[in-house]
Amino acid sequence: MTAATPARTAIASQYEAVIGLETHCQLSTNTKIFSDSSTVFGAQPNTHIDPICMGLPGVLPVLNEKVLEYAVKAGLALNCAIAPYSKFDRKQYFYPDLPKNYQISQFDLPIAEHGWVEIEIYDKKSGTSSRKKIGVTRLHMEEDAGKLVHGGSDQLAGSTYSLVDYNRAGVPLIEIVSEPDIRTGQEAAEYAQEIRRIVRYLGVCDGNMQEGSLRCDVNISVRKVGTDRFGTKVEIKNMNSFNAIQRAIEYEIERQITEIEAGGTIIQETRLWDEGAQLTRSMRIKEGASDYRYFPEPDLGPIEVSEARRESWKRELPELPILKRHRYQDDLGLSPYDTKVLTDDRAIAEYFEATIASGAPAKQSSNWIMGDISAYLNANNGMTIVDLKIKPIELAELVNLIESGTISNKIGKDLLPELLENGGSPKAIVAKKGLLQISDPAVISAAIDEVIVAFPNELEQYKSGKTKMLGFFVGQVLKKTGGKADPKLTNQLVAEKLNA
Amino acid sequence: MDISQNYTPFFYTELFMSLDRAEVHKVANLARLALTPEEEEQFAGQLNGILDYIEQLNELDVSNVEPTTRAIDVSNVTRVDEMKVYDNREGLMNSAPDRDENFFKVPKIIAGD
């Protein structure tokens, strides 16, 4: 894409994009939505198949109770109204990835409707964040289709035959449709991430985009600012990261504006995001709405969610990311950035909360978790915070030893590797190793005297005006005391001695 | 799914009206049935006969009746989420017209309309 010139930017500012997302989340159940076969990813082709997911004559699909529970919980977490009466429908289309020639989905009575998600956009430059509500039109349950491998060519176009793997056919999905409230690529990416955060907090979906557990399709049109009418909408598919969602939208906004400005028209079509080329390509032109000839699925009974059942599932919901974000900023006084990092993953947020529940101050606990502990987890691939040897109560103890001045920050850092490897009480280790901070001015002064005698040249430099040498002397004193001297006090005493 | 499209199922709206040949052609195409023009004409006549018969139902006032989605009054039929391996996978694979080792093999896909 060409660089934005001022003229292009001026034109672009006359337009706004109207964007809606359709997000498919694979539910983390053991078995398929209507049959007993496994849902585990990556198995040998067609090893997780059975007569029901293959749609053989005479079979009877039966709804997996976990699918209903997870869908209702996701609906509640998205602030939706849960339908007291809901049903499944058949959506008919012919494609070899669909063994039955219809997909069991929900049409006019979805399990959940009329919800919203709050996104928080963090601005790196200012360190502040802004919040926006994105409406959720509906959430429904459906089965996934199989996977096609095109034979004789890498691409569908040149293939002479196709190979089909039905392991994924019948894997449970929820589809979440947003209102067209999204205006930028960044908002779309943040919305998709918030959906993933929510389903992960709930434990109903692992959110793995690479394995296709979370997939987003984007509907996007542009219109002149101030008009109410929607422009012609284009669907974009094939983004397998949040970053790709943002870039595909940004590309598409510019493409559509350029097209309109050049006097062209936008055609209703499906476009694929090409990650390598960083652009969208036309896949097929949509002429009118597809005719899926929905009708009620005769093999499945309706679903009634009583108020009692809904409320008992509601009580099982964890504290959701939005509440944690508000609480961390409003009650704990953490910055938007710290909040964003800590609340992204439920296990990290809970580790943090357990640490402050053990009496450690929030900001310092947050620093340790986001700094040294995260670095350690990143260095040990595949390790998660729940695997850590150092438990929240021990981290709290460490933070408080530093806060109370019992040990220096440096000793705290030095202790960490051992705690990360073996855990244990920082207090006990400090006592055993004699690492208590030295705060006795007499002891520190004695060390300073020795250092000054040992470095006559440096002393000379300081005396001749190179006051930066103060830091050198402080460093030498800390080194001499094995990092145990109180740095603040040392700094003060060194200055006094040098200037004496 | 396409949120802009009309949510009224095909079933309820389109059956209670007269079908012309173009409509028969469209429905046949959606069902992947290759009909000759003569057959389209013939089925248009037959289908209209059926529709006229069903049309009698419109004489009833059902404005205060909830739509029936099924005849048997059962709801919430579910099963526990317990994995079982289906024991006749080979039977399933072999009942397909063609296979290629672990895959089902299907003819070249022609772009649909």
Side-chain angles (χ1 to χ4, degrees), chain A residues 22 24 53-54 89-107 140 142-148 164 166 168-171 173 175 215 217 235 237 283-284 286 289-295 297, chain B residues 1-2 5 10 26-33 109-113:
Chain A
E22 291 168 18
H24 286 91
C53 70
M54 299 292 293
D89 300 276
R90 289 186 182 179
K91 177 182 179 177
Q92 342 268 330
Y93 66 91
F94 293 90
Y95 205 67
D97 65 0
L98 207 60
K100 302 194 288 288
N101 289 338
Y102 59 85
Q103 178 194 26
I104 303 178
S105 181
Q106 295 196 283
F107 186 54
H140 68 256
E142 63 183 25
E143 59 181 342
D144 207 345
K147 213 176 103 187
L148 289 177
V164 198
Y166 288 123
R168 216 177 57 185
V171 161
L173 302 177
E175 178 178 324
R215 312 191 281 267
D217 298 337
E235 186 176 9
K237 289 175 178 284
M283 180 172 79
R284 65 184 144 101
K286 282 188 170 175
S290 312
D291 193 342
Y292 292 123
R293 295 156 295 141
Y294 284 95
F295 69 81
E297 166 60 64
Chain B
M1 79 178 318
D2 189 348
Q5 80 193 32
F10 153 85
K26 185 188 155 200
V27 173
N29 184 47
L30 287 170
R32 300 296 184 269
L33 295 172
I109 298 158
I110 305 157
D113 53 347

Side-chain angles (χ1 to χ4, degrees), chain A residues 202-395:
Chain A
L202 297 174
V204 303
C205 168
D206 67 23
N208 187 331
M209 290 181 95
Q210 301 305 318
E211 292 180 4
S213 311
L214 189 126
R215 312 191 281 267
C216 291
D217 298 337
V218 169
N219 284 302
I220 174 169
S221 62
V222 299
R223 65 180 174 195
K224 281 263 166 99
V225 173
T227 41
D228 289 334
R229 224 167 58 91
F230 293 136
T232 305
K233 113 190 136 170
V234 166
E235 186 176 9
I236 329 175
K237 289 175 178 284
N238 202 38
M239 287 92 39
N240 63 1
S241 70
F242 297 118
N243 196 2
I245 292 172
Q246 179 164 349
R247 279 176 292 118
I249 288 172
E250 285 165 0
Y251 174 87
E252 189 59 22
I253 290 173
E254 182 159 344
R255 187 192 70 83
Q256 292 187 16
I257 293 173
T258 308
E259 184 69 39
I260 293 167
E261 284 293 317
T265 48
I266 303 301
I267 358 175
Q268 192 179 342
E269 60 180 344
T270 300
R271 298 178 72 88
L272 287 187
W273 172 246
D274 183 334
E275 181 71 28
Q278 296 283 299
L279 47 80
T280 63
R281 294 182 196 282
S282 182
M283 180 172 79
R284 65 184 144 101
I285 311 291
K286 282 188 170 175
E287 284 171 10
S290 312
D291 193 342
Y292 292 123
R293 295 156 295 141
Y294 284 95
F295 69 81
E297 166 60 64
D299 289 340
L300 289 160
I303 300 145
E304 293 181 74
V305 179
S306 68
E307 195 185 331
R309 203 167 183 201
R310 185 188 71 218
E311 290 307 306
S312 90
W313 278 332
K314 198 172 191 171
R315 281 191 295 275
E316 289 173 25
L317 300 185
E319 184 183 43
L320 293 164
I322 176 177
L323 283 178
K324 287 199 192 294
R325 284 199 299 267
H326 291 186
R327 197 160 60 78
Y328 286 14
Q329 291 178 52
D330 300 346
D331 301 350
L332 301 178
L334 291 183
S335 71
Y337 179 75
D338 286 10
T339 299
K340 178 184 157 77
V341 175
L342 289 173
T343 58
D344 194 49
D345 181 278
R346 181 179 166 187
I348 290 176
E350 287 178 350
Y351 188 98
F352 164 73
E353 288 173 22
T355 306
I356 60 172
S358 303
K363 177 61 188 162
Q364 284 79 350
S365 304
S366 154
N367 288 349
W368 280 93
I369 293 167
M370 289 168 56
D372 297 75
I373 288 180
S374 290
Y376 177 76
L377 291 174
N378 287 338
N380 290 271
N381 242 339
M383 195 181 208
T384 68
I385 202 157
V386 283
D387 305 323
L388 272 185
K389 285 277 169 35
I390 178 170
K391 297 300 164 199
I393 191 167
E394 294 158 357
L395 177 64

Side-chain angles (χ1 to χ4, degrees), chain B:
Chain B
M1 79 178 318
D2 189 348
I3 53 171
S4 68
Q5 80 193 32
N6 182 358
Y7 268 108
T8 313
F10 153 85
F11 207 64
Y12 300 130
T13 54
E14 292 180 34
L15 278 187
F16 295 101
M17 57 187 210
S18 179
L19 280 173
D20 59 15
R21 219 194 87 197
E23 194 69 19
V24 172
H25 178 80
K26 185 188 155 200
V27 173
N29 184 47
L30 287 170
R32 300 296 184 269
L33 295 172
L35 301 184
T36 63
E38 294 74 34
E39 284 172 323
E40 286 175 1
E41 205 58 66
Q42 182 195 353
F43 288 132
Q46 290 182 359
L47 285 168
N48 277 319
I50 297 166
L51 292 177
D52 287 345
Y53 177 66
I54 297 172
E55 181 67 22
Q56 292 176 55
L57 290 173
N58 271 351
E59 290 165 21
L60 293 172
D61 178 10
V62 290
S63 50
N64 291 320
V65 181
E66 285 283 307
T68 305
T69 52
R70 56 196 7 87
I72 305 167
D73 188 20
V74 286
S75 61
N76 297 342
V77 180
T78 56
R79 45 170 249 280
V80 291
D81 183 27
E82 233 173 60
M83 208 265 284
K84 287 186 203 104
V85 175
Y86 179 64
D87 59 10
N88 189 14
R89 171 183 181 258
E90 277 305 301
L92 282 177
M93 296 292 300
N94 289 329
S95 61
D98 200 3
R99 66 183 278 190
D100 182 345
E101 294 184 20
N102 277 331
F103 286 100
F104 292 96
K105 193 172 177 181
V106 298
K108 172 179 177 168
I109 298 158
I110 305 157
D113 53 347

